[in-house]
């Protein structure tokens, strides 16, 4: 090949036979197309994952959505608009308490971590950054005031945790356990304090918070709202704390543990690239290593691409299951995406891999909102709120409901697809003339339809 232009070079394997599914455990129900990537540019991979592809090491695969047992929909989160949910905040606080005080609850499993996709590649030699996490340790009184700003919030948590069969009747002013009697009658009081707000039921407060969150989400998306403003509740004030606020909290000097965060280049098919308008670390694949007191406890693999940070996989030491490292790493990667966006304005999304609605354990990815799912037929993004009702009715669904919209990058001219034949780059039309009587047109047509016309004209399909 002449010149210094970088090419993506792949070998296409098709994929007609079913194999074991790691989600529903079907022995032959998982179907996908695959190709081996010898080398790949970050822009080509960005375009491929925006058509439903995903890499595991150097193997790049795409589920056959209408045929596979557990359809896998590409999901992305709008990192700039992301606000941590209540459960996300609990995970961040739990990590900060562990670092500052050494509190670690045993026996809890991380239900929000994504299963590991494949064995991680070896780390590269270049260390790009090292960040010490420090958080301010609050006294028990201050912590209680922050986490539980009102008595009503404590009551709501207690009500949610109490089994229905043992709930105290709200109609009885005093509840007395069976077999006991009250020794003295309650003393008469002055009645309700008119200067204090009326007591409200936990159910009403939860409904109000949901409406407030929906209003905030609509305003963030540029949708006008006619809901009249309400007086902020303590819970709403707590919502104003951003993801960065939790992560950047400072720890006391005498913290029980020290958590370090390191980033290394790692081996992958993606070529490391740098651009004037790109992030300082460049584009490519990276290891993110989590070191606790000098001991590595978790490793995440991410791809930094032109418009997103794509999470590849994470693995961690089982002794730290209770720290919810799967969810914690995702939150840190979202914060990292927002940091990169300040350097590269178009890099604003966080890709979580595949969302599998038919597998309840994989629905956690839908909690990182606002987020979109990729329509498997039109390859346009659809908000997850619009997708959930469709997926509740059917495992596979065309997510975009416009019947007139098709694949904008569908194959129009197979002859323009590039192939690499005998170390020479040529369009498929020239290759087919050289190989008179070649029987691979159907395979090349299938490959081109999966990657799209644009990628087919840039990616070199290896032909022997």
């Amino acid at each position: 090949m002449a010149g210094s232009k970088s090419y993506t070079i792949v070998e296409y394997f098709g994929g007609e036979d079913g194999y074991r599914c790691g989600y529903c455990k079907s022995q032959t129900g998982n179907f996908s197309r695959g190709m081996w990537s010898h080398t790949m540019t970050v822009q080509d991979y960005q375009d491929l994952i925006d058509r439903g592809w995903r890499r595991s090491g150097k193997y790049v695969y795409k589920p056959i959505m209408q045929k596979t047992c557990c359809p896998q929909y590409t999901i992305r989160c709008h990192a700039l608009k992301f606000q941590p949910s209540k459960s996300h905040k609990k995970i961040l606080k739990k990590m900060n308490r562990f670092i500052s005080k050494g509190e670690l609850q045993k026996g809890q499993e991380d239900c929000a971590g994504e299963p590991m996709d494949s064995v991680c590649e070896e780390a590269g030699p270049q260390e790009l950054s090292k960040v010490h996490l420090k958080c301010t340790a609050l006294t028990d009184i201050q912590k209680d005031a922050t986490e539980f700003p009102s008595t009503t919030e404590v009551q709501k948590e207690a009500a949610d945790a109490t089994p229905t069969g043992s709930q105290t009747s709200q109609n009885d002013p005093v509840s007395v356990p069976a077999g006991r009697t009250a020794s003295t009658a309650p003393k008469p009081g002055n009645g309700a304090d008119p200067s204090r707000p009326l007591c409200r039921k936990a159910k009403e407060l939860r409904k109000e918070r949901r409406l407030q969150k929906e209003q905030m989400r609509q305003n963030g998306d540029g949708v006008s709202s006619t809901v009249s403003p309400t007086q902020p509740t303590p819970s709403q004030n707590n919502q104003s704390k951003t993801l960065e606020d939790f992560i950047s909290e400072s720890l006391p000097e005498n913290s029980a543990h020290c958590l370090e965060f390191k980033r290394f280049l790692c081996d992958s098919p993606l070529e490391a690239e740098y651009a004037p308008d790109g992030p300082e670390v460049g584009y490519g694949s990276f290891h993110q290593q989590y070191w606790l007191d000098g001991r590595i406890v978790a490793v995440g693999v991410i791809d930094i691409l032109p418009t997103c940070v794509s999470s590849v996989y994470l693995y961690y030491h089982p002794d730290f299951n209770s720290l919810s490292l799967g969810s914690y790493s995702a939150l840190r990667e979202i914060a990292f995406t927002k940091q990169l966006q300040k350097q590269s304005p178009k890099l604003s999304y966080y890709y979580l891999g595949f969302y599998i609605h038919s597998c309840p354990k994989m629905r956690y990815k839908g909690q990182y909102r606002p987020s979109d799912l990729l329509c498997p037929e039109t390859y346009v993004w659809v908000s997850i709120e619009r997708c959930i009702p469709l997926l509740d009715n059917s495992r596979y669904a065309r997510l975009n409901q416009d019947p007139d919209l098709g694949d904008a990058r569908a194959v129009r001219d197979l002859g323009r697809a590039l192939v690499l034949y005998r170390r020479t780059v040529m369009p498929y039309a020239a290759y087919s003339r050289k190989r008179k009587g070649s029987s691979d047109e159907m395979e090349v047509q299938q490959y081109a339809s999966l990657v799209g016309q644009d990628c087919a004209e840039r990616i070199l399909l290896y032909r022997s």
Side-chain angles (χ1 to χ4, degrees):
M1 291 180 290
S4 58
K5 180 181 178 181
S6 295
Y7 283 98
T8 294
I9 303 175
V10 299
E11 289 184 69
Y12 180 68
F13 296 124
E16 303 302 328
D17 297 329
Y19 54 95
R20 185 178 184 274
C21 176
Y23 303 106
C24 70
K25 310 307 179 184
S26 169
Q27 294 300 312
T28 58
N30 197 348
F31 290 86
S32 66
R33 312 287 188 193
M35 54 191 183
W36 186 263
S37 175
H38 294 276
T39 181
M40 182 171 287
T41 67
V42 292
Q43 184 59 61
D44 285 340
Y45 186 54
Q46 176 73 72
D47 291 343
L48 286 175
I49 63 174
D50 285 339
R51 288 185 67 85
W53 293 82
R54 178 167 168 79
R55 80 174 184 90
S56 178
K58 294 187 176 183
Y59 183 71
V60 188
Y61 64 99
K62 177 183 172 116
I64 305 177
M65 298 289 282
Q66 292 177 305
K67 190 175 182 181
T68 191
C69 54
C70 296
Q72 302 165 54
Y73 298 85
T74 302
I75 181 173
R76 71 177 186 184
C77 170
H78 295 253
L80 302 186
K81 298 178 181 178
F82 173 80
Q83 289 294 331
S85 66
K86 186 175 181 179
S87 62
H88 294 149
K89 291 179 181 179
K90 285 183 178 180
I91 291 169
L92 295 167
K93 291 177 182 178
K94 178 170 58 177
M95 176 63 78
N96 290 342
R97 283 196 300 269
F98 170 69
I99 298 171
S100 62
K101 299 183 179 181
E103 298 177 3
L104 180 63
Q105 296 177 343
K106 297 289 185 180
Q108 294 183 356
E109 294 185 0
D110 178 10
C111 297
E114 179 180 3
M116 183 170 55
D117 287 333
S118 68
V119 178
C120 183
E121 306 294 317
E122 294 183 359
Q126 182 181 4
E127 178 178 347
L128 295 181
S129 67
K130 176 179 178 180
V131 181
H132 293 262
L133 305 183
K134 296 184 178 181
C135 305
T136 302
L138 303 176
T139 65
D140 291 341
I141 295 177
Q142 290 173 325
K143 182 182 70 174
D144 290 343
T146 302
E147 294 185 1
F148 307 106
S150 69
T151 306
T152 307
E153 285 295 308
V154 179
Q155 293 172 340
K156 182 184 77 67
E157 294 291 337
D160 290 344
T162 304
T164 304
S166 61
Q167 285 184 343
T168 301
S169 172
Q170 297 180 359
N171 296 327
D172 298 333
V174 179
S175 178
V176 181
R180 296 187 181 182
T181 59
S183 58
T184 58
K187 295 181 179 180
N190 296 325
D193 185 351
S195 65
R196 302 186 63 179
L198 295 175
C199 182
R200 303 170 64 189
K201 292 183 179 180
K203 182 177 181 180
E204 295 177 358
L205 289 171
R206 289 197 296 270
K207 182 177 181 181
E208 180 177 324
R209 280 195 297 275
R210 284 197 299 269
L211 292 174
Q212 290 169 351
K213 289 180 181 178
E214 183 63 27
Q215 181 180 1
M216 292 172 63
R217 186 179 298 115
Q218 291 177 349
N219 292 338
D221 292 337
V223 180
S224 61
S225 175
T226 58
V227 179
S228 59
T230 58
Q231 184 176 358
T233 63
S235 178
Q236 185 177 356
N237 290 333
N238 196 35
Q239 291 274 345
S240 61
K241 199 169 184 180
T242 66
L243 174 62
E244 290 82 358
D245 292 335
F246 283 100
I247 291 178
S248 62
E249 281 188 56
S250 59
L251 281 171
E253 295 298 329
N254 60 344
S255 295
H257 298 287
C258 175
L259 181 65
E260 298 176 285
F261 186 65
K262 302 178 182 180
R263 187 170 303 112
F264 289 87
L265 281 169
C266 67
D267 184 27
S268 90
L270 299 183
E271 296 182 354
E273 297 181 22
Y274 297 87
D277 59 345
E280 293 179 1
V281 297
Y283 300 110
S285 299
F286 298 85
H287 277 153
Q288 294 193 314
Q289 301 178 349
Y290 297 79
W291 290 79
L292 180 65
D293 301 332
R295 172 192 181 191
I296 191 167
V297 295
V299 177
V301 179
I302 62 170
D303 294 329
I304 301 179
L305 304 175
T307 64
C308 76
V309 169
S310 174
S311 175
V312 183
Y313 42 75
L314 171 92
Y315 55 92
Y316 54 84
H317 198 289
D319 286 353
F320 301 93
N321 276 353
S322 62
L323 287 177
S324 305
L325 289 172
S327 297
Y328 179 76
S329 66
L331 294 169
R332 285 205 65 99
E333 288 168 3
I334 291 175
F336 181 52
T337 304
K338 298 172 74 172
Q339 176 187 340
L340 294 179
Q341 194 275 338
K342 296 177 182 178
Q343 306 168 11
S344 180
K346 61 184 180 180
L347 201 161
S348 59
Y349 296 102
Y350 175 64
Y351 283 49
L352 296 95
F354 288 133
Y355 173 82
I356 308 173
H357 193 73
S358 58
C359 179
K361 289 185 178 180
M362 297 301 291
R363 293 184 184 181
Y364 76 92
K365 295 183 180 182
Q367 299 171 4
Y368 296 85
R369 298 192 181 186
S371 58
D372 306 317
L373 299 184
L374 185 67
C375 177
E377 297 182 14
T378 62
Y379 301 108
V380 298
W381 295 99
V382 182
S383 65
I384 195 168
E385 290 85 357
R386 292 167 54 190
C387 299
I388 296 300
L390 300 174
L391 297 177
D392 283 339
N393 294 328
S394 174
R395 287 176 176 239
Y396 173 81
R398 174 190 165 109
L399 302 179
N400 183 276
Q401 296 298 289
D402 183 354
D404 298 325
L405 189 64
D407 179 5
R409 293 183 172 86
V411 177
R412 301 178 301 276
D413 185 357
L414 183 62
R416 295 173 60 88
L418 291 182
V419 300
L420 177 63
Y421 177 62
R422 293 184 177 178
R423 303 181 63 85
T424 303
V425 179
M426 64 184 70
Y428 181 74
Y431 163 81
S432 60
R433 288 194 296 268
K434 285 179 175 289
R435 294 286 306 272
K436 293 181 179 179
S438 175
S439 60
D440 64 355
E441 182 175 352
M442 184 177 297
E443 179 182 298
V444 176
Q445 177 74 42
Q446 184 183 81
Y447 152 81
S449 66
L450 293 172
V451 302
Q453 184 73 41
D454 296 345
C455 283
E457 294 181 14
R458 294 198 312 265
I459 296 176
L460 304 185
L461 177 63
Y462 177 78
R463 311 310 290 168
S464 57

